């Protein structure tokens, strides 16, 4: 039974990673939720797959940064909001139901408020700051 569960979790993890990867290129699919699902599945089933996922560039870009710093740079927040606004804006434009449009607008406002006011904003590290930090470590 444990082997079947492990196989299912690894399969779901791989599928959700593939969908997350596609979502990084195709703005119709969200990337982060699929990567988080992959993380959960691999954490529960295989340390090897878990380490592999954490080493991928896409994971580090979409999930790893937030997990490491518990914040985003202002530039990253703006990029996220632009992406969200474009995709939801297209949906608002094409959906004929006024109630659904209102719910999508409420969702946009909520996401904007949460991203800008509840998730910490950190300064973008410059080369000078990195150099200064390394020099202090050496001393």
């Amino acid at each position: 039974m444990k082997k079947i569960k492990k196989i299912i979790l690894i399969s779901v993890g791989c599928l959700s990673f593939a969908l997350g990867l596609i979502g990084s290129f195709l703005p119709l699919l969200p990337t982060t939720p699929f990567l988080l699902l992959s993380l959960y599945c691999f954490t529960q089933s295989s340390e090897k797959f878990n380490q592999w996922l954490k080493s991928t560039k896409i994971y580090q870009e979409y999930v790893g940064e937030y997990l490491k710093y518990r914040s985003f740079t202002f530039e990253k927040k703006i990029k996220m909001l632009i992406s969200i606004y474009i995709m939801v804006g297209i949906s608002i434009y094409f959906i004929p139901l006024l109630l659904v449009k209102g719910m999508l607008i409420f969702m946009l406002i909520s996401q904007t408020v949460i991203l800008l006011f509840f998730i910490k904003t950190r300064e973008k590290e410059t080369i000078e700051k990195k150099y200064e930090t390394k020099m202090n470590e050496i001393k």
Side-chain angles (χ1 to χ4, degrees):
M1 191 66 164
K2 286 185 178 184
K3 189 172 183 171
I4 293 172
K5 181 180 177 184
K6 184 176 180 176
I7 291 170
I8 291 171
L9 285 171
I10 290 173
S11 299
V12 171
C14 290
L15 178 63
S16 65
F17 178 78
L19 290 172
L21 187 62
I22 293 168
S24 69
F25 299 106
L26 185 68
L28 297 174
L29 286 174
T31 301
T32 305
F34 287 117
L35 293 178
L36 291 174
L37 178 59
S38 295
L39 179 64
Y40 175 78
C41 290
F42 293 153
T43 300
Q44 299 297 314
S45 62
S46 169
E47 185 60 31
K48 184 178 178 180
F49 277 101
N50 191 30
Q51 291 304 316
W52 168 78
L53 175 66
K54 290 179 179 178
S55 70
T56 62
K57 185 177 179 182
I58 189 170
Y59 174 86
Q60 292 171 3
E61 183 178 331
Y62 284 90
V63 179
E65 178 185 354
Y66 181 77
L67 291 177
K68 182 177 181 182
Y69 299 108
R70 296 287 186 215
S71 62
F72 289 116
T73 62
F74 186 72
E75 291 84 6
K76 179 83 170 185
K77 287 183 175 186
I78 295 301
K79 286 180 184 177
M80 291 167 71
L81 285 174
I82 289 171
S83 174
I84 292 167
Y85 278 37
I86 289 171
M87 294 316 306
V88 177
I90 291 169
S91 298
I92 290 171
Y93 179 77
F94 285 109
I95 291 178
L97 301 172
L98 193 57
L99 177 64
V100 175
K101 287 182 180 193
M103 290 172 24
L104 288 172
I105 291 169
F106 176 76
M107 182 189 73
L108 274 178
I109 293 168
S110 300
Q111 288 176 332
T112 303
V113 168
I114 289 169
L115 194 58
L116 294 179
F117 299 108
F118 289 95
I119 295 177
K120 293 179 185 176
T121 303
R122 74 172 195 286
E123 287 186 32
K124 190 173 185 179
E125 285 190 14
T126 61
I127 294 172
E128 296 85 30
K129 284 185 181 180
K130 288 181 181 179
Y131 177 77
E132 197 175 303
T133 303
K134 287 195 178 214
M135 292 306 289
N136 288 334
E137 290 175 1
I138 293 172
K139 293 178 184 178

